[in-house]
Amino acid sequence: MGAHSRGNTLDFLKVANDLLPDGASYDACVGCGICASGCPASGLFGMDPRRFINMAMLGMNEELSTTPWVWACTQCKRCAYLCPMGIDVSQLVGAARGAWATEDKPKGIVRSCAAQKLDESTSAMGLMSEDFVEIVEETLEELHENQPRFADLKVPIDKKGAKFVINQNSREPAVEPEEMAPLWKILDYVGADWTYSSKGWAAENFCMFTGDTEAWKDMVETRVDAMNALESEIWINTECGHSFFTIWQGIEKFGLTANFEAESLVTYYAQWIREGKLPVNSDWNKNNVKFTVQDPCQLVRKSIGDQAAEDLRFVVKTLVGEENFVDMQPCRSANYCCGGGGGFLQAGMASERRAYGKRKFDQVIATEADYVLTPCHNCHSQIEDVGDHFGGAYTVTHLWTLICLSLGILGPDERKYLGPDLADINLPEEE
């Protein structure tokens, strides 16, 4: 992706100063380089976070308004997390993205945003609301027929007053609907009072990644209005990273009224296990298969913080056995972004994205784990891709897969993300 010549040239020094909190100053930057050394995007297109800030201070606006590095930065905020002065390069990058002319932005990210605008479903894959409802109904019918144990399982849509309203990443209903069933089984198992919304159900928001603030606002408003209309108490973001950040941050940024609390499914997995509603254990892992876990930036560092990371580890250790869990280093809020976020997966910059992801690949390989668990679709796709590209032997899977495996309710057709070592483990008994 080359530099572009159209769009607006920002006054980066002014934008940078406007973004600073009261009393702060970029003069406080001591040039320590922690931001650059801890950023996997450093060196791509000859740029890094420290260089970006220095160029802004020097008024090098043309260079910063045209560098494609702003699409390689995943806005993961690790630089701000580590910076002793709290300087946040990601906000400057967001402003820079917004200044690019639409025709010069990465076409994949722009297409995903455009797809979200097609229908009130807000699906980045362009899946219409009526199609989503039809796919859910057909998938549920197949579940009833093929797994009699769940013949009475219900998947409510637009149920007013349910305690939880659940979102769903578009990838499942669009291309792998069988992957929705494990989530439904878990919700059924714990007796959750829940519903999907036929509007704003999709768990992605690529409009934010384009730098188009108005489009980001429109997506969040559609979802908030839909959830308010259902009068649910809690919106649960499923195993997806950035949709959680875009909702709570969007509500705050745009001053929207949300009559619900935004929560993560990871938090509820941990709660339901602690309450005994999900009686999972590691008895199935007789061969001591090793697991590590990816902390999604959007969920941990940018949203809930280390509490989400601790809940994630509690769930995983309960599922696989503490002795079979190997943590990446660094981890939790200090973990490296995998390189799948910020729209990088859709940006058409595969070689740069994989170069970015090499640091994550090395992290995973250092654990010697057989499996990587991650509650985020972008992380899932990126870690799987760099594993294939660099020759890793690990497998990437969802938490819902392992939860249902432990409970003995994971059907034969719900094992797409299990390797041959687990493909036949704990299969449900024939009924």
Side-chain angles (χ1 to χ4, degrees), residues 5 9 30 49 118 141 161 163 191-192 197 203 212-213 216 230 232-233 235 321 329 360 371:
S5 57
T9 299
V30 295
L118 291 174
E141 185 177 345
K163 181 175 181 178
S197 172
D212 186 338
T213 303
W216 173 15
L230 288 177
S232 291
E233 182 182 335
W235 169 75
Q329 298 299 329
K360 177 57 59 181
Y371 283 81

Side-chain angles (χ1 to χ4, degrees), residues 357-371:
K358 181 61 164 59
R359 191 174 300 197
K360 177 57 59 181
F361 175 80
D362 290 341
Q363 264 193 301
V364 174
I365 294 303
T367 68
E368 298 184 353
D370 304 293
Y371 283 81

Side-chain angles (χ1 to χ4, degrees), residues 160-209:
K160 199 166 185 177
K163 181 175 181 178
F164 303 114
V165 59
I166 309 286
N167 71 0
Q168 187 80 57
N169 189 282
S170 293
R171 190 171 77 184
E172 278 91 40
V175 298
E176 48 186 28
E178 69 281 356
E179 281 295 308
M180 294 190 289
L183 172 61
W184 299 346
K185 291 176 180 180
I186 292 167
L187 295 169
D188 180 71
Y189 205 102
V190 301
D193 176 21
W194 73 284
T195 186
Y196 281 131
S197 172
S198 62
K199 302 175 183 178
W201 54 265
E204 57 269 350
N205 194 337
F206 287 94
C207 292
M208 180 184 73
F209 295 145

Side-chain angles (χ1 to χ4, degrees), residues 107-184:
K107 292 180 174 56
I109 306 176
V110 172
R111 277 197 303 269
S112 292
C113 178
Q116 288 188 248
K117 296 177 181 180
L118 291 174
D119 184 72
E120 58 193 2
S121 68
T122 67
S123 166
M125 296 184 75
L127 191 65
M128 305 299 179
S129 290
E130 59 268 27
D131 295 327
F132 172 67
V133 173
E134 184 177 346
I135 290 167
V136 167
E137 290 174 346
E138 290 177 353
T139 305
L140 180 61
E141 185 177 345
E142 290 177 9
L143 177 63
H144 288 164
E145 291 176 358
N146 298 332
Q147 300 183 48
R149 175 173 179 175
F150 295 98
D152 296 325
L153 184 147
K154 294 180 174 54
V155 179
I157 299 178
D158 294 332
K159 176 186 173 184
K160 199 166 185 177
K163 181 175 181 178
F164 303 114
V165 59
I166 309 286
N167 71 0
Q168 187 80 57
N169 189 282
S170 293
R171 190 171 77 184
E172 278 91 40
V175 298
E176 48 186 28
E178 69 281 356
E179 281 295 308
M180 294 190 289
L183 172 61
W184 299 346

Side-chain angles (χ1 to χ4, degrees), residues 68-322:
W69 187 79
V70 297
W71 304 102
C73 165
T74 59
Q75 299 180 278
C76 77
K77 289 185 180 282
R78 192 174 193 271
C79 55
Y81 177 79
L82 294 173
C83 176
M85 304 305 169
I87 294 172
D88 187 355
V89 181
S90 73
Q91 293 191 65
L92 265 183
V93 167
R97 287 184 175 195
W100 279 50
T102 300
E103 59 267 29
D104 289 332
K105 295 177 181 181
K107 292 180 174 56
I109 306 176
V110 172
R111 277 197 303 269
S112 292
C113 178
Q116 288 188 248
K117 296 177 181 180
L118 291 174
D119 184 72
E120 58 193 2
S121 68
T122 67
S123 166
M125 296 184 75
L127 191 65
M128 305 299 179
S129 290
E130 59 268 27
D131 295 327
F132 172 67
V133 173
E134 184 177 346
I135 290 167
V136 167
E137 290 174 346
E138 290 177 353
T139 305
L140 180 61
E141 185 177 345
E142 290 177 9
L143 177 63
H144 288 164
E145 291 176 358
N146 298 332
Q147 300 183 48
R149 175 173 179 175
F150 295 98
D152 296 325
L153 184 147
K154 294 180 174 54
V155 179
I157 299 178
D158 294 332
K159 176 186 173 184
K160 199 166 185 177
K163 181 175 181 178
F164 303 114
V165 59
I166 309 286
N167 71 0
Q168 187 80 57
N169 189 282
S170 293
R171 190 171 77 184
E172 278 91 40
V175 298
E176 48 186 28
E178 69 281 356
E179 281 295 308
M180 294 190 289
L183 172 61
W184 299 346
K185 291 176 180 180
I186 292 167
L187 295 169
D188 180 71
Y189 205 102
V190 301
D193 176 21
W194 73 284
T195 186
Y196 281 131
S197 172
S198 62
K199 302 175 183 178
W201 54 265
E204 57 269 350
N205 194 337
F206 287 94
C207 292
M208 180 184 73
F209 295 145
T210 67
D212 186 338
T213 303
E214 281 304 308
W216 173 15
K217 180 182 179 182
D218 289 345
M219 293 304 103
V220 177
E221 276 189 318
T222 298
R223 293 171 180 176
V224 168
D225 289 347
M227 289 180 272
N228 283 343
L230 288 177
E231 299 178 4
S232 291
E233 182 182 335
I234 297 167
W235 169 75
I236 293 185
N237 180 63
T238 49
E239 295 188 30
C240 185
H242 76 263
S243 62
F244 185 82
F245 176 79
T246 62
I247 283 286
W248 78 260
Q249 179 68 13
I251 289 169
E252 185 176 288
K253 181 180 179 70
F254 305 121
L256 305 178
T257 299
N259 301 321
F260 54 87
E261 295 294 325
E263 301 283 0
S264 166
L265 184 59
V266 172
T267 301
Y268 278 94
Y269 283 158
Q271 179 179 320
W272 291 330
I273 291 172
R274 290 184 175 111
E275 292 173 347
K277 292 180 179 178
L278 274 180
V280 297
N281 57 59
S282 60
D283 292 350
W284 59 271
N285 195 8
K286 293 178 174 55
N287 293 327
N288 300 113
V289 178
K290 303 301 182 187
F291 291 79
T292 190
V293 69
Q294 165 69 358
D295 295 293
C297 307
Q298 303 276 0
L299 179 63
V300 177
R301 181 164 49 245
K302 294 178 70 172
S303 296
I304 299 175
D306 279 347
Q307 182 55 54
E310 295 304 331
D311 283 341
L312 184 54
R313 280 156 181 75
F314 168 75
V315 173
V316 174
K317 289 177 183 178
T318 306
L319 282 169
V320 308
E322 189 159 359

